[in-house]
Amino acid sequence: SDIYSGGMGGNMSMMGSGSGNGMMNVNYGLKTGVGAGIKAEYFFNPKWAILLNLGYMQRGARFDMNASSGYVPRYRLSYFDVMLGAKYMTKEVIKKSRLFFDAGISQHTLLNAFRVNSYEAMNMMSDMHGLDWGSFVGTGLETPLFDKDIL
């Protein structure tokens, strides 16, 4: 079994929620997030590895505060993400494919932040936190694309 593993990838996500109170109705619309990155894994044995992901991700939100006024701001946020964690791989479950479970910590550095509406674009970097911390948990099915290593 290989000790090191790596790769490149991309992702797409949808984020959205909504809220309101008696004075103002605010609806948060869905925002598509798009990103790309690279990953590296070091396997201690065939089942356990540490992983490092580095990537760029666009995030944001759209607010439908008062649609009749035409004021519908969007927040466009770009981040550089670093994720460090552990990965557990099962035995082969389907033709060379293995289930995996991973978990770890993440750090997100804000690269730029804009509030955009129909008549202006404002730089919001000074109003945002430049550094955020988080955690992640995931599961999936790892399937090789090639029968042999390409490197």
Side-chain angles (χ1 to χ4, degrees):
S1 149
D2 295 324
I3 294 177
Y4 298 99
S5 171
M8 296 182 296
N11 63 18
M12 189 171 195
S13 62
M14 293 291 280
M15 299 160 273
S17 63
S19 70
N21 62 31
M23 301 175 121
M24 181 186 296
N25 185 20
V26 178
N27 292 311
Y28 302 94
L30 287 175
K31 169 72 173 88
T32 303
V34 179
I38 59 173
K39 76 170 187 173
E41 298 172 338
Y42 175 76
F43 284 87
F44 294 105
N45 60 47
K47 291 188 175 190
W48 284 99
I50 58 171
L51 60 95
L52 174 67
N53 289 336
L54 305 173
Y56 170 81
M57 185 74 180
Q58 293 179 335
R59 298 179 178 95
R62 185 185 73 226
F63 297 88
D64 295 330
M65 296 177 78
N66 187 351
S68 63
S69 72
Y71 182 68
V72 183
R74 295 179 312 277
Y75 285 85
R76 295 184 177 161
L77 311 172
S78 298
Y79 287 89
F80 176 72
D81 298 334
V82 177
M83 299 188 306
L84 179 65
K87 181 177 186 176
Y88 176 79
M89 302 282 291
T90 66
K91 293 181 181 178
E92 186 176 306
V93 291
I94 306 168
K95 292 187 181 181
K96 298 185 182 180
S97 296
R98 299 166 64 186
L99 286 173
F100 72 85
F101 303 92
D102 57 18
I105 58 172
S106 58
Q107 182 268 315
H108 314 279
T109 303
L110 185 62
L111 301 174
N112 62 53
F114 290 95
R115 181 173 63 206
V116 180
N117 57 46
S118 57
Y119 54 89
E120 68 181 346
M122 295 179 58
N123 186 336
M124 303 297 293
M125 283 295 288
S126 62
D127 296 332
M128 303 280 183
H129 292 287
L131 188 64
D132 292 319
W133 293 91
S135 60
F136 66 92
V137 176
T139 186
L141 185 66
E142 192 164 291
T143 304
L145 295 177
F146 304 101
D147 285 336
K148 297 183 180 189
D149 291 337
I150 56 174
L151 294 177

